[in-house]
Every structure is written in C-alpha cells, then in structure tokens.
Amino acid sequence: EAPATTVPVEHNYSILIKKSAFQCMVLDNGKVIESYGCALGKNTGDKEKSGDMKTPVGKFKVIEVCDASYWTHDFGDGKGEIKGAYGPWFFYLDTNEKSKGQWDGIGIHGTHDPASIGTLASEGCIRLLNDNVRKLKEHAKVGMKVVVKGDDNN
C-alpha cells in the first residue's frame, strides 16, 4: 500500500472591509480566518473626490506594501507632524479604475491613535491597530484582492 501523501493547501487570501460594521476581515478561499476592528473615513458614503474624507467602496488590489514605521503626517489639528501616524505598514490599494484620476489611492495601515478604531476618523484610509497590521502583513501580498463594502446595498 502506498503511503498517504499530503496535498499542500493552496491559500487564496483576500481582504473584506465591511464599512457598516467597522470590520476588516482576512479571508482564505472565501472563509474568514482573521477579523479586526478598523477606522474609516470621517465622512460616510462613497469616495468621489480628493479631500472628501470618505472611504471608497468597490473591488481593489494591493499594489504596494510599504514600511511606514518612519512616516509622519500632519492631520491639520494643530498638533503638527505625528511620528508613526501610519503604524508599521501601509498597504497601497489601486483605486484608479474607480477614481479615474480624481483622487489618489488609499491604503490600509496602522495608527498612532488606537482609540480611533471603530470610528469615522481617517482621511479615507482604513486604519487598524498596529498589532493587527503586523498580523495582516503575514497574509497581505501585492496583487491581493480587497473588497470594500458599504451598507448592505453595495
């Protein structure tokens, strides 16, 4: 009798953002394997133009994974540049098909403000706790599919 061979499991990771629930989920072959709370754009609804502070809904792809640990950002709140504003990693999403050049791509990244998770707080990006961004990095790859759903209608 031939020895049993184990067939390697093909992982097919994707990310699903449910805006209505402030949830970022990692799926493997369509099954949720991780779920994290997230913060979204300050304004509700679908992104239409640069500066509208909305998180776009639609299907996107990760086009770049950047070490964001040394990045700074000025949120315009009088506190000046904040070190570590984006946490350890920034996953750039390709939004060109939707934006038609009307606004720059957005990303999934960490935060210097853990209390913002579960709220409308960003300029349009999807924020996670830094530990969860590190976990996401174990699965996220360039080319990975990201679906952002708004309310139950889209």
Side-chain angles (χ1 to χ4, degrees), residues 78-89:
K79 295 177 182 168
E81 291 213 342
I82 304 285
K83 261 185 116 109
Y86 296 98
W89 299 101

Side-chain angles (χ1 to χ4, degrees), residues 5-27:
T5 57
T6 55
V7 179
V9 175
E10 276 296 314
H11 291 290
N12 182 12
Y13 296 119
S14 61
I15 297 172
L16 172 62
I17 310 292
K18 278 185 147 170
K19 288 175 62 172
S20 60
F22 294 96
Q23 285 294 303
C24 170
M25 290 167 272
V26 179
L27 283 61

